[in-house]
Amino acid sequence: MSVELLVGALAVVALITYAVLGGADFGGGIWDLFARGPRRDEQRAAIADAMGPVWEANHVWLIFVIVLLFTGFPSAYGALSTGLFVPFHIVLLGIIARGAAFVFRAYSPRAAGEASSPQAKRWGVIFGVASVVTPVVLGMCLGAVSSGAMRVDDAGVHFTRTPWLAPVSLAIGALALAQCAYLAAVFLTLETDGPLRDDFRTRALLAGTAVVALSAALVPLLLREAEHLWQGLVRGPGLFALVPGVVAALLSGWALRGRHYRLARAAAVAQIACLVAGWAAAQYPYIIYPDVTLASAAGPRATLLFVLYSTPLGMALLLPSLWYLFRVFKVRKHDAARAEIRATRPVG
């Protein structure tokens, strides 16, 4: 296996991790925006409780992908930064806006007995809208590099049409939004109980139905605008991820309907991992189809080797830090909640 392929595979693993953790994070914001019914305040409180204060850590994987890209494949990074300048900045603004709004809403003044003040509601709308827009645009960027509408040569980047606004890119963006919503709702069924859990189960079933419908709608668009990606998925290496991904999606839906929530979560994570891995395998060997490949964009071999040798050292610091972060703010909090429930439970 070539050294550039190893660095590319490392970037795909980081992208999968971001799709799972960051996707659930964006999905929480989506359901915050669409919180409805008599328990909407409880729904928002459950989402905020599930996300905070570890949500900032999820974006470390996006930063890792960017570092791998500009270090290992600098010419591809330059072409992407030029060709996708507008959507990348929308994504950046979205991440900043949702993070700032999430914090400002939490500390907004409110009167006694009020679940939220007008000021908190305004920040909540910003948080929700940014959570919807950002994954859509990220999905559109994936579509743009696969559609062949963005051409790269020695003179620079050229468009036959605005690549991230092509129908196939818009469809992939919508699919990314539905996947984030599904993943978050499935996660939230394990963070809640009682009627609140039923609320998120219903939302997960709706989002899962949207994922199926959008996946079906994407097929003719792939055949028309990104045929190489379709061929890579059904006849190439992407098939090895597509088949288990479909099985995982069906298993997740079945488990959710049967209220097997832990199995539904595990299958949903596998579904997202297979989806991203399948896209990457079908896209191979291209970073930007059809002009930029892993080999043509690779940096000096010494730089790629340095990336591979230094990554385990970085992970030796990062992974224990993330584990301890989740341990402190998630596991211990749940342990305390369970202890409180046992203490208030009637004896006998």
Side-chain angles (χ1 to χ4, degrees), residues 81-107:
S81 300
T82 303
L84 300 176
F85 180 85
V86 173
F88 278 177
H89 280 75
I90 293 175
V91 168
L92 184 61
L93 288 173
I95 291 174
I96 294 171
R98 69 188 300 275
F102 184 78
V103 173
F104 283 132
R105 183 179 66 170
Y107 290 96

PDB file of all heavy atoms in Angstrom, residues 81-107:
ATOM      1  N   SER A  81      -9.927  24.872  -1.607  1.00  0.00           N
ATOM      2  CA  SER A  81     -10.110  26.176  -0.963  1.00  0.00           C
ATOM      3  C   SER A  81     -10.546  27.236  -1.964  1.00  0.00           C
ATOM      4  O   SER A  81     -11.302  28.151  -1.622  1.00  0.00           O
ATOM      5  CB  SER A  81      -8.800  26.614  -0.285  1.00  0.00           C
ATOM      6  OG  SER A  81      -8.414  25.683   0.689  1.00  0.00           O
ATOM      7  N   THR A  82     -10.077  27.097  -3.210  1.00  0.00           N
ATOM      8  CA  THR A  82     -10.469  28.057  -4.250  1.00  0.00           C
ATOM      9  C   THR A  82     -11.860  27.740  -4.793  1.00  0.00           C
ATOM     10  O   THR A  82     -12.737  28.603  -4.850  1.00  0.00           O
ATOM     11  CB  THR A  82      -9.446  28.026  -5.404  1.00  0.00           C
ATOM     12  OG1 THR A  82      -8.142  28.300  -4.883  1.00  0.00           O
ATOM     13  CG2 THR A  82      -9.800  29.047  -6.464  1.00  0.00           C
ATOM     14  N   GLY A  83     -12.035  26.484  -5.198  1.00  0.00           N
ATOM     15  CA  GLY A  83     -13.301  26.110  -5.840  1.00  0.00           C
ATOM     16  C   GLY A  83     -14.498  26.121  -4.920  1.00  0.00           C
ATOM     17  O   GLY A  83     -15.623  26.392  -5.352  1.00  0.00           O
ATOM     18  N   LEU A  84     -14.252  25.811  -3.645  1.00  0.00           N
ATOM     19  CA  LEU A  84     -15.362  25.746  -2.682  1.00  0.00           C
ATOM     20  C   LEU A  84     -15.226  26.849  -1.635  1.00  0.00           C
ATOM     21  O   LEU A  84     -15.601  26.658  -0.470  1.00  0.00           O
ATOM     22  CB  LEU A  84     -15.404  24.359  -2.016  1.00  0.00           C
ATOM     23  CG  LEU A  84     -15.605  23.185  -2.982  1.00  0.00           C
ATOM     24  CD1 LEU A  84     -15.532  21.851  -2.229  1.00  0.00           C
ATOM     25  CD2 LEU A  84     -16.949  23.298  -3.701  1.00  0.00           C
ATOM     26  N   PHE A  85     -14.721  27.990  -2.066  1.00  0.00           N
ATOM     27  CA  PHE A  85     -14.489  29.103  -1.133  1.00  0.00           C
ATOM     28  C   PHE A  85     -15.791  29.516  -0.431  1.00  0.00           C
ATOM     29  O   PHE A  85     -15.839  29.675   0.793  1.00  0.00           O
ATOM     30  CB  PHE A  85     -13.911  30.294  -1.903  1.00  0.00           C
ATOM     31  CG  PHE A  85     -13.638  31.495  -1.060  1.00  0.00           C
ATOM     32  CD1 PHE A  85     -12.450  31.629  -0.364  1.00  0.00           C
ATOM     33  CD2 PHE A  85     -14.596  32.515  -0.942  1.00  0.00           C
ATOM     34  CE1 PHE A  85     -12.207  32.752   0.432  1.00  0.00           C
ATOM     35  CE2 PHE A  85     -14.363  33.629  -0.146  1.00  0.00           C
ATOM     36  CZ  PHE A  85     -13.163  33.746   0.532  1.00  0.00           C
ATOM     37  N   VAL A  86     -16.853  29.678  -1.209  1.00  0.00           N
ATOM     38  CA  VAL A  86     -18.131  30.139  -0.626  1.00  0.00           C
ATOM     39  C   VAL A  86     -18.730  29.108   0.330  1.00  0.00           C
ATOM     40  O   VAL A  86     -19.029  29.440   1.489  1.00  0.00           O
ATOM     41  CB  VAL A  86     -19.124  30.514  -1.747  1.00  0.00           C
ATOM     42  CG1 VAL A  86     -20.496  30.825  -1.153  1.00  0.00           C
ATOM     43  CG2 VAL A  86     -18.600  31.707  -2.525  1.00  0.00           C
ATOM     44  N   PRO A  87     -18.918  27.838  -0.103  1.00  0.00           N
ATOM     45  CA  PRO A  87     -19.528  26.889   0.844  1.00  0.00           C
ATOM     46  C   PRO A  87     -18.652  26.626   2.068  1.00  0.00           C
ATOM     47  O   PRO A  87     -19.193  26.438   3.174  1.00  0.00           O
ATOM     48  CB  PRO A  87     -19.712  25.616   0.005  1.00  0.00           C
ATOM     49  CG  PRO A  87     -18.836  25.767  -1.175  1.00  0.00           C
ATOM     50  CD  PRO A  87     -18.751  27.227  -1.444  1.00  0.00           C
ATOM     51  N   PHE A  88     -17.331  26.625   1.905  1.00  0.00           N
ATOM     52  CA  PHE A  88     -16.470  26.409   3.073  1.00  0.00           C
ATOM     53  C   PHE A  88     -16.654  27.530   4.096  1.00  0.00           C
ATOM     54  O   PHE A  88     -16.649  27.283   5.311  1.00  0.00           O
ATOM     55  CB  PHE A  88     -15.008  26.326   2.648  1.00  0.00           C
ATOM     56  CG  PHE A  88     -14.600  24.962   2.132  1.00  0.00           C
ATOM     57  CD1 PHE A  88     -13.331  24.735   1.648  1.00  0.00           C
ATOM     58  CD2 PHE A  88     -15.496  23.899   2.137  1.00  0.00           C
ATOM     59  CE1 PHE A  88     -12.954  23.479   1.171  1.00  0.00           C
ATOM     60  CE2 PHE A  88     -15.140  22.653   1.667  1.00  0.00           C
ATOM     61  CZ  PHE A  88     -13.861  22.443   1.177  1.00  0.00           C
ATOM     62  N   HIS A  89     -16.815  28.751   3.623  1.00  0.00           N
ATOM     63  CA  HIS A  89     -17.004  29.861   4.561  1.00  0.00           C
ATOM     64  C   HIS A  89     -18.406  29.840   5.179  1.00  0.00           C
ATOM     65  O   HIS A  89     -18.589  30.270   6.320  1.00  0.00           O
ATOM     66  CB  HIS A  89     -16.724  31.201   3.873  1.00  0.00           C
ATOM     67  CG  HIS A  89     -15.261  31.501   3.781  1.00  0.00           C
ATOM     68  ND1 HIS A  89     -14.426  30.877   2.883  1.00  0.00           N
ATOM     69  CD2 HIS A  89     -14.456  32.328   4.514  1.00  0.00           C
ATOM     70  CE1 HIS A  89     -13.188  31.307   3.053  1.00  0.00           C
ATOM     71  NE2 HIS A  89     -13.182  32.195   4.030  1.00  0.00           N
ATOM     72  N   ILE A  90     -19.376  29.339   4.436  1.00  0.00           N
ATOM     73  CA  ILE A  90     -20.711  29.158   5.043  1.00  0.00           C
ATOM     74  C   ILE A  90     -20.631  28.137   6.171  1.00  0.00           C
ATOM     75  O   ILE A  90     -21.220  28.313   7.249  1.00  0.00           O
ATOM     76  CB  ILE A  90     -21.727  28.723   3.967  1.00  0.00           C
ATOM     77  CG1 ILE A  90     -21.960  29.860   2.966  1.00  0.00           C
ATOM     78  CG2 ILE A  90     -23.053  28.314   4.611  1.00  0.00           C
ATOM     79  CD1 ILE A  90     -22.859  29.477   1.803  1.00  0.00           C
ATOM     80  N   VAL A  91     -19.893  27.047   5.916  1.00  0.00           N
ATOM     81  CA  VAL A  91     -19.715  26.026   6.963  1.00  0.00           C
ATOM     82  C   VAL A  91     -19.017  26.627   8.182  1.00  0.00           C
ATOM     83  O   VAL A  91     -19.433  26.402   9.334  1.00  0.00           O
ATOM     84  CB  VAL A  91     -18.906  24.833   6.408  1.00  0.00           C
ATOM     85  CG1 VAL A  91     -18.459  23.911   7.544  1.00  0.00           C
ATOM     86  CG2 VAL A  91     -19.734  24.056   5.397  1.00  0.00           C
ATOM     87  N   LEU A  92     -17.973  27.396   7.925  1.00  0.00           N
ATOM     88  CA  LEU A  92     -17.231  28.008   9.032  1.00  0.00           C
ATOM     89  C   LEU A  92     -18.135  28.939   9.842  1.00  0.00           C
ATOM     90  O   LEU A  92     -18.155  28.889  11.093  1.00  0.00           O
ATOM     91  CB  LEU A  92     -16.033  28.777   8.477  1.00  0.00           C
ATOM     92  CG  LEU A  92     -15.089  29.410   9.499  1.00  0.00           C
ATOM     93  CD1 LEU A  92     -14.470  28.346  10.385  1.00  0.00           C
ATOM     94  CD2 LEU A  92     -13.991  30.205   8.783  1.00  0.00           C
ATOM     95  N   LEU A  93     -18.892  29.771   9.141  1.00  0.00           N
ATOM     96  CA  LEU A  93     -19.817  30.675   9.842  1.00  0.00           C
ATOM     97  C   LEU A  93     -20.882  29.887  10.600  1.00  0.00           C
ATOM     98  O   LEU A  93     -21.277  30.271  11.711  1.00  0.00           O
ATOM     99  CB  LEU A  93     -20.473  31.629   8.832  1.00  0.00           C
ATOM    100  CG  LEU A  93     -19.576  32.720   8.254  1.00  0.00           C
ATOM    101  CD1 LEU A  93     -20.313  33.477   7.152  1.00  0.00           C
ATOM    102  CD2 LEU A  93     -19.139  33.686   9.359  1.00  0.00           C
ATOM    103  N   GLY A  94     -21.342  28.785   9.999  1.00  0.00           N
ATOM    104  CA  GLY A  94     -22.357  27.970  10.660  1.00  0.00           C
ATOM    105  C   GLY A  94     -21.853  27.375  11.952  1.00  0.00           C
ATOM    106  O   GLY A  94     -22.550  27.385  12.976  1.00  0.00           O
ATOM    107  N   ILE A  95     -20.635  26.851  11.925  1.00  0.00           N
ATOM    108  CA  ILE A  95     -20.065  26.249  13.142  1.00  0.00           C
ATOM    109  C   ILE A  95     -19.876  27.310  14.229  1.00  0.00           C
ATOM    110  O   ILE A  95     -20.175  27.080  15.408  1.00  0.00           O
ATOM    111  CB  ILE A  95     -18.729  25.550  12.800  1.00  0.00           C
ATOM    112  CG1 ILE A  95     -18.995  24.312  11.928  1.00  0.00           C
ATOM    113  CG2 ILE A  95     -17.981  25.156  14.068  1.00  0.00           C
ATOM    114  CD1 ILE A  95     -17.736  23.642  11.407  1.00  0.00           C
ATOM    115  N   ILE A  96     -19.382  28.477  13.821  1.00  0.00           N
ATOM    116  CA  ILE A  96     -19.172  29.549  14.805  1.00  0.00           C
ATOM    117  C   ILE A  96     -20.516  30.043  15.358  1.00  0.00           C
ATOM    118  O   ILE A  96     -20.680  30.220  16.578  1.00  0.00           O
ATOM    119  CB  ILE A  96     -18.403  30.711  14.154  1.00  0.00           C
ATOM    120  CG1 ILE A  96     -16.983  30.265  13.796  1.00  0.00           C
ATOM    121  CG2 ILE A  96     -18.371  31.924  15.080  1.00  0.00           C
ATOM    122  CD1 ILE A  96     -16.219  31.271  12.965  1.00  0.00           C
ATOM    123  N   ALA A  97     -21.482  30.242  14.447  1.00  0.00           N
ATOM    124  CA  ALA A  97     -22.770  30.799  14.881  1.00  0.00           C
ATOM    125  C   ALA A  97     -23.498  29.852  15.821  1.00  0.00           C
ATOM    126  O   ALA A  97     -24.055  30.282  16.840  1.00  0.00           O
ATOM    127  CB  ALA A  97     -23.637  31.096  13.653  1.00  0.00           C
ATOM    128  N   ARG A  98     -23.505  28.546  15.497  1.00  0.00           N
ATOM    129  CA  ARG A  98     -24.252  27.619  16.354  1.00  0.00           C
ATOM    130  C   ARG A  98     -23.582  27.469  17.727  1.00  0.00           C
ATOM    131  O   ARG A  98     -24.258  27.360  18.747  1.00  0.00           O
ATOM    132  CB  ARG A  98     -24.436  26.273  15.679  1.00  0.00           C
ATOM    133  CG  ARG A  98     -23.189  25.455  15.521  1.00  0.00           C
ATOM    134  CD  ARG A  98     -23.447  24.223  14.671  1.00  0.00           C
ATOM    135  NE  ARG A  98     -24.449  23.346  15.222  1.00  0.00           N
ATOM    136  CZ  ARG A  98     -24.216  22.410  16.131  1.00  0.00           C
ATOM    137  NH1 ARG A  98     -22.986  22.247  16.602  1.00  0.00           N
ATOM    138  NH2 ARG A  98     -25.171  21.634  16.579  1.00  0.00           N
ATOM    139  N   GLY A  99     -22.239  27.497  17.717  1.00  0.00           N
ATOM    140  CA  GLY A  99     -21.545  27.396  18.995  1.00  0.00           C
ATOM    141  C   GLY A  99     -21.794  28.602  19.881  1.00  0.00           C
ATOM    142  O   GLY A  99     -22.093  28.476  21.072  1.00  0.00           O
ATOM    143  N   ALA A 100     -21.693  29.794  19.272  1.00  0.00           N
ATOM    144  CA  ALA A 100     -21.915  31.020  20.043  1.00  0.00           C
ATOM    145  C   ALA A 100     -23.364  31.093  20.525  1.00  0.00           C
ATOM    146  O   ALA A 100     -23.630  31.442  21.687  1.00  0.00           O
ATOM    147  CB  ALA A 100     -21.572  32.232  19.177  1.00  0.00           C
ATOM    148  N   ALA A 101     -24.308  30.751  19.634  1.00  0.00           N
ATOM    149  CA  ALA A 101     -25.718  30.836  20.009  1.00  0.00           C
ATOM    150  C   ALA A 101     -26.063  29.840  21.115  1.00  0.00           C
ATOM    151  O   ALA A 101     -26.861  30.141  22.011  1.00  0.00           O
ATOM    152  CB  ALA A 101     -26.589  30.569  18.773  1.00  0.00           C
ATOM    153  N   PHE A 102     -25.454  28.650  21.061  1.00  0.00           N
ATOM    154  CA  PHE A 102     -25.712  27.631  22.093  1.00  0.00           C
ATOM    155  C   PHE A 102     -25.306  28.147  23.480  1.00  0.00           C
ATOM    156  O   PHE A 102     -26.022  27.973  24.469  1.00  0.00           O
ATOM    157  CB  PHE A 102     -24.931  26.363  21.745  1.00  0.00           C
ATOM    158  CG  PHE A 102     -25.171  25.211  22.667  1.00  0.00           C
ATOM    159  CD1 PHE A 102     -26.320  24.448  22.556  1.00  0.00           C
ATOM    160  CD2 PHE A 102     -24.249  24.883  23.654  1.00  0.00           C
ATOM    161  CE1 PHE A 102     -26.551  23.371  23.405  1.00  0.00           C
ATOM    162  CE2 PHE A 102     -24.462  23.815  24.513  1.00  0.00           C
ATOM    163  CZ  PHE A 102     -25.618  23.063  24.385  1.00  0.00           C
ATOM    164  N   VAL A 103     -24.156  28.808  23.525  1.00  0.00           N
ATOM    165  CA  VAL A 103     -23.662  29.314  24.806  1.00  0.00           C
ATOM    166  C   VAL A 103     -24.476  30.518  25.261  1.00  0.00           C
ATOM    167  O   VAL A 103     -24.899  30.603  26.423  1.00  0.00           O
ATOM    168  CB  VAL A 103     -22.165  29.673  24.691  1.00  0.00           C
ATOM    169  CG1 VAL A 103     -21.687  30.372  25.966  1.00  0.00           C
ATOM    170  CG2 VAL A 103     -21.344  28.427  24.426  1.00  0.00           C
ATOM    171  N   PHE A 104     -24.726  31.469  24.337  1.00  0.00           N
ATOM    172  CA  PHE A 104     -25.465  32.675  24.721  1.00  0.00           C
ATOM    173  C   PHE A 104     -26.885  32.328  25.169  1.00  0.00           C
ATOM    174  O   PHE A 104     -27.435  32.958  26.068  1.00  0.00           O
ATOM    175  CB  PHE A 104     -25.509  33.665  23.556  1.00  0.00           C
ATOM    176  CG  PHE A 104     -24.224  34.418  23.369  1.00  0.00           C
ATOM    177  CD1 PHE A 104     -23.639  34.533  22.116  1.00  0.00           C
ATOM    178  CD2 PHE A 104     -23.594  35.023  24.442  1.00  0.00           C
ATOM    179  CE1 PHE A 104     -22.452  35.218  21.940  1.00  0.00           C
ATOM    180  CE2 PHE A 104     -22.398  35.708  24.282  1.00  0.00           C
ATOM    181  CZ  PHE A 104     -21.826  35.808  23.028  1.00  0.00           C
ATOM    182  N   ARG A 105     -27.502  31.327  24.538  1.00  0.00           N
ATOM    183  CA  ARG A 105     -28.850  30.934  24.966  1.00  0.00           C
ATOM    184  C   ARG A 105     -28.830  30.365  26.387  1.00  0.00           C
ATOM    185  O   ARG A 105     -29.723  30.642  27.201  1.00  0.00           O
ATOM    186  CB  ARG A 105     -29.430  29.901  24.008  1.00  0.00           C
ATOM    187  CG  ARG A 105     -30.864  29.516  24.364  1.00  0.00           C
ATOM    188  CD  ARG A 105     -31.461  28.509  23.426  1.00  0.00           C
ATOM    189  NE  ARG A 105     -30.790  27.211  23.502  1.00  0.00           N
ATOM    190  CZ  ARG A 105     -31.253  26.118  22.914  1.00  0.00           C
ATOM    191  NH1 ARG A 105     -32.347  26.167  22.181  1.00  0.00           N
ATOM    192  NH2 ARG A 105     -30.594  24.980  23.019  1.00  0.00           N
ATOM    193  N   ALA A 106     -27.788  29.582  26.681  1.00  0.00           N
ATOM    194  CA  ALA A 106     -27.710  28.969  28.008  1.00  0.00           C
ATOM    195  C   ALA A 106     -27.594  30.013  29.110  1.00  0.00           C
ATOM    196  O   ALA A 106     -28.074  29.802  30.229  1.00  0.00           O
ATOM    197  CB  ALA A 106     -26.530  28.006  28.059  1.00  0.00           C
ATOM    198  N   TYR A 107     -26.943  31.152  28.785  1.00  0.00           N
ATOM    199  CA  TYR A 107     -26.723  32.178  29.809  1.00  0.00           C
ATOM    200  C   TYR A 107     -27.643  33.389  29.629  1.00  0.00           C
ATOM    201  O   TYR A 107     -27.418  34.423  30.260  1.00  0.00           O
ATOM    202  CB  TYR A 107     -25.259  32.627  29.789  1.00  0.00           C
ATOM    203  CG  TYR A 107     -24.321  31.554  30.287  1.00  0.00           C
ATOM    204  CD1 TYR A 107     -23.674  30.712  29.400  1.00  0.00           C
ATOM    205  CD2 TYR A 107     -24.127  31.365  31.653  1.00  0.00           C
ATOM    206  CE1 TYR A 107     -22.832  29.704  29.844  1.00  0.00           C
ATOM    207  CE2 TYR A 107     -23.289  30.374  32.122  1.00  0.00           C
ATOM    208  CZ  TYR A 107     -22.640  29.538  31.220  1.00  0.00           C
ATOM    209  OH  TYR A 107     -21.818  28.546  31.675  1.00  0.00           O
TER     210      TYR A 107
END
